[in-house]
Amino acid sequence: MTLLLIALAILGGTGVLALGAGRSPRLAAGIAALGAVVAAVVGLGPAIESLRGGEAVFTTVPWALPSGAVQIGIDPLTSFFLVPLLIMGALCGVYGFFYMQAHWTRRAAGPPAFFFNMMLASMVLVLLARGAVVLLVAWEVMTLTSYVLVAFEHEEAEVRRAGWVYLIAGHVGVAFLVGFLLVLGRHAGGLEFAAYASKPAGGAFAVLVFVLAVIGFGVKAGIVPLHVWLPEAHAVAPSHVSALMSGVLIKLGLYGILRTLTFMSPTSWPGPVLLGLGVIGGLLGISLALYQRDMKRALAYSSIENVGVMLIGIGLGWWAAQTGHPRIAAFGFCGGLLHLWNHVLMKGLMFLGAGSVLHGAGAKDLERLGGLLRRMPRTGASMMLGAVAIAGLPPLNGFTSEWLVYLGLLGGGLEARSGQGVLLFLVTAVLATIGVLASLCFVRLVGVALLGQPRSEPAQKAHESPFGMVAPIVVLALACVAMALCARTVTPILGRVAGEVLGTPLDVAPAASRLGGLAKISIA
């Protein structure tokens, strides 16, 4: 825990130093990027240790404000989200140092560097929070700092509109979160997570708690129909900010929903609710992504689709665990949680790649691109690999996690009662449709942007981005390959996280065995 507090201090301290060094753009941006990297190095140790089976650690710091103390802690559920946050924060920090250089001649480098590091720090604190007050403060800081970064180019009307939509949507979510935490606090007699868990919500009260949580956290996660801000904000934010928001920030909404499940009595109905939201989000998100001309907007809608896939897996896992189908629960939870990690890598790669295209070709409109693979070979090749992965095609990592979800749905359809089984088979068909549309979407995106002939003068004069921008993209591309080959090795981690949510151990051996066989096929 001490190292994580040090990582928080590093992020906050380097952010303030960057703000103070604003007259020297290179120094300000360099301090912030170095802070993100050092914080990741310092914080990854305890996070990985917790994932590998370390005991949950909690710290209480007395203070004078209501609720009496600051409570923070780390457990497998926290660490599962903390690891990708720290890694993506470091990669996006390095990328941002080079990406933002084009703005240094007309803007100070200190403020965006400061807000980037403060956004990282607030996201870390959201995960460490073990009480309502700390969670709400961190959530609000995360919302405000990300808003400032989304509205970075505020002289453009489109950017101002996107910023306002994001800010309003974010605070609608905060209002529901306040209600969620206060309702739970009154029921439990305290505002600490330990009090919530000691007196779990049940019956009709659990329905109220779950609805408040799904709306409050679901706004940030981009769950349909709460997704309105997501394509607007991701399309206009600086690309390293879009990558961090799509890769990690929206996942904190899913973290909140998973944490909420630990405050509820065991009951099966939240599973079908999450599964249904996932089906709607997956189908709508990828359908809207198909006809977008703006590359980043298409990627944003794809994020809505992928959140839907995660919800399908998690919802299936929760339902199966509560209805006596542990094998199906293993497939559902492992598929949903593994897809969460995979999406961090895939969408981070694609957004950073889109930023490289914007830097090298001066456009993100697909109709003004073309022929970029020849002119930007490293960026283009990495994006082609990312497109295969995020479309869920074998043998890359997007396929491995979606394959587990398919196995869970098919197995659940065979094991469940007739009516439930038919519904699960229908969900399987919808997931297959989503997969087909995702393949079409990314074939179109890659084909139009990277292949063929240039369709504008900027595309004809496109050039490869600097090494500092290309390196994080290549790292994420290699990580996608590694996750496909080594997916089985992370199943014990997935089992510990699922056990934390369920409150009881989950045997993930069925999922591990299937992933082991898939890895052998991929290597062959």
Side-chain angles (χ1 to χ4, degrees), residues 2-8 10 35-47 86:
T2 301
L3 290 176
L4 289 171
L5 292 176
I6 292 173
L8 272 174
I10 290 170
V37 172
V38 174
V41 172
V42 171
L44 277 173
L86 292 172

Side-chain angles (χ1 to χ4, degrees), residues 390-455:
I390 204 166
L393 298 175
L396 294 177
N397 56 331
F399 173 71
T400 60
S401 48
E402 290 191 22
W403 190 63
L404 288 179
V405 177
Y406 277 116
L407 290 176
L409 289 171
L410 291 171
L414 293 172
E415 292 186 15
R417 295 194 300 269
S418 57
Q420 295 174 335
V422 170
L423 288 175
L424 290 177
F425 283 134
L426 288 175
V427 174
T428 307
V430 173
L431 184 59
T433 302
I434 292 171
V436 171
L437 294 178
S439 298
L440 290 174
C441 176
F442 285 97
V443 165
R444 170 180 175 267
L445 189 149
V446 169
V448 173
L450 302 180
L451 305 179
Q453 296 298 318
R455 288 182 295 281

Side-chain angles (χ1 to χ4, degrees), residues 129 131-142 174 177-179 181-182:
V133 175
V134 178
L135 176 63
L136 284 174
V137 170
W139 197 271
E140 179 68 3
V141 173
M142 177 180 71
V174 168
L177 282 185
V178 171
L181 294 167
L182 290 180

